[in-house]
Amino acid sequence: GAQAGHIMHTVLQPQIFEAVVAELQAMLNTVKPTHLCYLALDGVAPRAKMEQQRQRRHRSIADKSLEQSVYNKHKQAYLHGVLWDSNCVTPGTAFMDELSTYLHDQLSDFDCEGVVQLSDSGECGEGEHKIMEHMRISGDPNADKTGSSVHSYVLHGQDADLIMLAFSHLATYGSHIPFYILRDSTDTRQSNKSKDSISTDAPITTTQSQPTCTTLVIDKWSYTTARTEPVLPKVQYLNTNALMKCVIRHMESYGDIYSEDERPHIIRDYVALCFLLGNDFLPHSPTLSIQDKGIDTLFEAYVPLRKASGGYLTHPHVPAIAQIAHECTDDRRMPETQWNTPLFISILHKLAQQEDYLAGRLHTNTLQKRKWMLQQLRYPKELREYSTHQHSKNTTVRTSGSPSDTHPYRSHSLEHELKHLQTLQPSFWKT
């Protein structure tokens, strides 16, 4: 254990740090920010997120112990869990403190036209929320501009919650602000990045860009002049402004038309409705699933009821205390958002009427899919064909010199058993 720790600290850790800086520089080469690159590492999260992270840590330990038992069974060395523990990528660990220090030292060395700013793991809050708070304080990037160039936001990250954060920001500050999310290409033919690589929800960048267009996804390839320069995989700019129009058009197909003034309220309602599908802070409703048309189910309930009531699901509310102390607070302070409780309850009632049907459909689909996966992994096609062939001969005579258990598919391979671990039911992991 001590030797593995020494190897980790002296050999592996410096390589990880260098790889992080190289990937950030490759990202800067791709985006070419002209104003600001705001890099935010996750700090201490709110309590609800902490509990989710704790479950992930427990799951990680359980995963490794199961993997190690499979490796031991096949008499293979299990170096992955010995040399590298992904649980050290969490606020407060020595690894994250040293990474923060290393990045602070490297800030001035980044090749970037704009300023590179770092919020390390010592500052509370998840990376994307620290970025959004910085954006709210900064305000509209084009407010004081008179030239033809337009500053736009580019937020990098794979998390779908970034789309909701972008919608919320555009609904509050205006849908005219160009806002893109830089993501890995969704083309399944492209090889996926290693899941073991460290990634952050950074950077948020205000960068020179063309005015917002109506294209939903804009492809971009990084290119290099030297072979030694790191290359990002193919990436895409997701145009959240165009996606927001698509969402509104989708909602209108359920029987309502929204004016320009109504659209910010509708988008806020959309973000609030999606809470029922779950996020990092709330468990999802057991009968609603995005894969099982959960968003359409919500629209079917929301659109007619909202049209009949004439109000909105959410509305801003400034508490009386805040109004009194307004002179002492920042002018940019956002009012609280409150639920329209009667409308929310009526939506829940309508969803409840479908609950038995939705639960049955979801359970059946999930069960069938899981059974199929287990069958494929436990009994691969070659083994089933081999077993059928052996059974059809209806004999117990062994071929000379080769026992029946030497068939390559008779005993599962290491890769097969590792894949099977991924299909275990969620209840298996509960502590």
Side-chain angles (χ1 to χ4, degrees), residues 30 32 190 218-223 231-235:
T30 302
K32 296 182 175 60
Q190 296 289 326
I218 305 163
D219 285 328
K220 177 153 186 173
W221 290 264
S222 59
Y223 57 90
V231 182
L232 271 181
K234 183 180 172 184
V235 290

Side-chain angles (χ1 to χ4, degrees), residues 370-410:
R370 193 177 299 282
K371 278 183 178 178
W372 183 84
M373 287 177 66
L374 286 172
Q375 186 183 30
Q376 293 298 309
L377 290 173
R378 284 177 178 164
Y379 307 104
K381 183 180 178 184
E382 295 86 349
L383 177 57
R384 292 201 301 275
E385 289 177 353
Y386 177 77
S387 301
T388 306
H389 178 65
Q390 289 295 96
H391 181 70
S392 65
K393 290 170 71 174
N394 197 19
T395 177
T396 57
V397 178
R398 293 184 182 179
T399 55
S400 60
S402 63
S404 61
D405 58 357
T406 58
H407 187 274
Y409 294 102
R410 178 61 69 183

Side-chain angles (χ1 to χ4, degrees), residues 38 58 61 85-87 104 136 142 198 289 313 322 371 421:
Y38 192 92
H58 290 159
I61 297 296
D85 181 8
S86 59
N87 283 346
H104 276 295
R136 294 183 193 111
N142 301 302
I198 297 179
S289 166
L313 184 59
K371 278 183 178 178
L421 292 181

Side-chain angles (χ1 to χ4, degrees), residues 74-111:
H74 290 270
K75 298 180 180 178
Q76 297 282 335
Y78 184 61
L79 296 176
H80 175 262
V82 176
L83 291 177
W84 172 249
D85 181 8
S86 59
N87 283 346
C88 69
V89 187
T90 193
T93 60
F95 176 86
M96 286 303 290
D97 289 343
E98 291 174 25
L99 176 60
S100 299
T101 303
Y102 184 83
L103 287 175
H104 276 295
D105 293 340
Q106 296 291 321
L107 283 185
S108 58
D109 296 333
F110 280 113
D111 181 16

